[in-house]
Amino acid sequence: MNAELTLDVVILLHGVYGSHWAWAMNGGVHKTAHQLIGQGKMKPMVLVMPSDGLHGDGSGYLKHQLEDYEKWIVEDVVTVVKEQISGVNEKSNFFITGLSMGGYGALRLGAKYPELFRSFSGLSSITEFSQMALFLEPGEYDRLNKLVLTQENVLDCILANKERLPLFYFDCGREDLLIEFNRKLHNRLLESNIPHTYVEHNGAHQWVYWQTHIAESLLFFNEFN
């Protein structure tokens, strides 16, 4: 009898104004994965694209006063995938990535839950909560600011668990409005001797960049198999 098939899982978090359809409809991530698998560059993985609950224009994937969007990703989504997807089991590796606000969520949650995520990455990532103001209307940002329990930043989450982290990856476009924040994070990680991979590409904060460069994250995760 053949052993049970075990599939690894990649959770993809969307950015502000997005939902569960964004990575597929705008990013074509399933097509990219299919192509990489067909070329023998990547083994089959399950792609999971949850919504953050359509909270306003974005939740930050943080704990709020009444809702817990962090718990939704690291507990509820993981549990549902294990229950509903054949081949996903206790032996499966879980990875997490995202773009912009989703990159902020993925880098934070990947760092905070190293026992859950085998590795993590971010594309064009917000690195501190205050950068949400670059994408939200002032009134929406003020409302979100009052709802979140803690305005976390990526660096603090990484440093808090630096002894337990796997190698992780993030990239950003040179024309992106977040490029200097990503460079700052990279330099602070170097100063703190935190192993990681950081890459810059040509491109701005737009879907053509994420469509192109999600492949690097998928191939990076594939190296952990």
Side-chain angles (χ1 to χ4, degrees), residues 200-221:
E200 293 183 6
H201 303 284
N202 292 330
H205 204 82
Q206 54 194 201
W207 273 108
V208 66
Y209 179 91
W210 304 317
Q211 288 169 352
T212 301
H213 295 293
I214 185 58
E216 281 96 323
S217 284
L218 295 177
L219 292 172
F220 182 81
F221 295 152

Side-chain angles (χ1 to χ4, degrees), residues 93-126:
N93 291 316
F94 276 76
F95 303 94
I96 189 167
T97 188
L99 64 92
S100 192
M101 178 187 75
Y104 171 68
L107 294 178
R108 283 190 309 101
L109 299 179
K112 291 179 70 173
Y113 299 92
E115 71 283 356
L116 172 59
F117 296 112
R118 185 68 180 84
S119 186
F120 54 94
S121 74
L123 291 77
S124 312
S125 303
I126 288 172

Side-chain angles (χ1 to χ4, degrees), residues 20-33:
H20 59 280
W21 51 262
W23 267 112
M25 298 298 292
N26 291 335
V29 63
H30 57 304
K31 297 178 182 179
T32 298

